Amino acid sequence: MPVQVAGFAEALVRCPDFRGVEAQTLESALAKSGEPLQMQYAEPSAELPLIRSGSEFSHLVFVQHGTVVPWQFPHSELGAPFLIGEHELLMDAERWVASYSAVSPSVVVRIPKRLMAQVLKDIPGVRGRMHELVMRRQSRFYWISLATSGTPRSRVAAALVSRLALEDRDFGVDRVIEVLQKDIGRLTTMSRSAVAAGFAELAEASAIHWGDEPGARFTGEVLVPDVDLLKEHAFLDVREREIQPLLGNEEEE
């Protein structure tokens, strides 16, 4: 279904990639090339992915309504408004890197990559913003990789840091993280009891705390006095299992 540029610019400008860009400015850039925009209704399906890894990268996909997830574990939910394809665009890729499916009835708009390249040319700040977002997500994936193996304490610590990394706040002191224990369970692939044990160990080590109010630990607000200390706990398993044995092998040689 064809999409009118004027109305679409109003929707697209809400996406984090276009923060600070006026809708009229974006509309002018989108209209310049004359390439068509196509709307698509996507039903939830794992059999027919919305985007298939290895297929030709000819369009970016804007999630205008609904939720899409990449095929990875732990999964991430990409809720509207969200633009998929910045990584491939910045890499000048010819094929999609990952597969994605809708997990709720969704409305997406396919944007030709040549059209988006024109937008980046006309509005240079958009490229920088896209690059920033891609780097934040890569940083988050690094911390999530640490959150999927190790002790409950190290995995919970890495999962908490991953939330800060996505917002470019994984440094400094007195950070506040809005997260529920069930979300940490999803990221770490641990049971609720293991997640609770990890939180308890971090609290005992003064790496986190919940505040003094009764029931504060159930509000979903975690206080981090020092992010570097939290990272130290996230690295405990890596140091014990990987770095020390490698250093030991070098000494034996």
Side-chain angles (χ1 to χ4, degrees), residues 3-236:
V3 176
Q4 295 295 322
V5 169
F8 178 64
E10 292 283 352
L12 186 60
V13 80
R14 297 185 293 114
C15 196
D17 303 78
F18 301 95
R19 186 179 66 185
V21 177
E22 296 292 335
Q24 184 60 51
T25 302
L26 182 56
E27 180 181 332
S28 298
L30 289 169
K32 184 172 292 186
S33 72
E35 294 216 34
L37 300 164
Q38 292 293 327
M39 179 180 291
Q40 174 185 349
Y41 293 96
E43 294 292 337
S45 172
E47 300 299 325
L48 296 173
L50 178 65
I51 299 168
R52 189 181 298 275
S53 174
S55 62
E56 181 186 3
F57 174 61
S58 58
H59 294 70
L60 289 84
V61 175
F62 175 61
V63 183
Q64 186 165 325
H65 176 77
T67 304
V68 172
V69 300
W71 288 18
Q72 65 187 40
F73 194 77
H75 74 270
S76 297
E77 295 184 356
L78 313 179
F82 196 91
L83 183 64
I84 304 174
E86 309 106 305
H87 193 181
E88 286 82 356
L89 182 68
L90 295 174
M91 290 170 53
D92 196 24
E94 294 184 358
R95 298 188 179 278
W96 282 99
V97 172
S99 295
Y100 300 78
S101 282
V103 293
S104 68
S106 302
V107 176
V108 302
V109 178
R110 295 186 178 274
I111 309 170
K113 68 177 183 180
R114 288 185 296 182
L115 173 54
M116 189 57 71
Q118 181 66 51
V119 171
L120 267 56
K121 180 180 179 181
D122 288 1
I123 314 173
V126 173
R127 178 182 292 275
R129 177 62 175 161
M130 283 186 177
H131 182 76
E132 177 188 353
L133 291 172
V134 167
M135 293 304 295
R136 286 188 190 179
R137 291 166 193 155
Q138 288 182 340
S139 178
R140 175 175 182 257
F141 292 148
Y142 163 74
W143 287 103
I144 289 178
S145 73
L146 293 179
T148 55
S149 64
T151 65
R153 175 174 49 160
S154 68
R155 292 166 75 170
V156 170
L160 290 173
V161 176
S162 78
R163 299 298 290 252
L164 293 172
L166 188 59
E167 300 174 359
D168 195 27
R169 299 191 301 127
D170 58 328
F171 58 89
V173 299
D174 298 328
R175 298 298 193 193
V176 177
I177 304 173
E178 302 287 344
V179 64
L180 298 174
Q181 289 198 21
K182 67 177 182 180
D183 296 324
I184 297 299
R186 177 174 59 82
L187 289 175
T188 60
T189 69
M190 292 194 299
S191 65
R192 292 180 63 180
S193 60
V195 170
F199 269 111
E201 290 184 53
L202 290 172
E204 185 176 353
S206 299
I208 65 168
H209 62 92
W210 288 282
D212 301 324
E213 297 296 325
R217 70 174 59 195
F218 303 110
T219 64
E221 187 173 88
V222 180
L223 310 178
V224 181
D226 187 336
V227 176
D228 283 342
L229 177 59
L230 186 62
K231 288 182 176 180
E232 288 300 310
H233 287 278
F235 288 137
L236 284 178

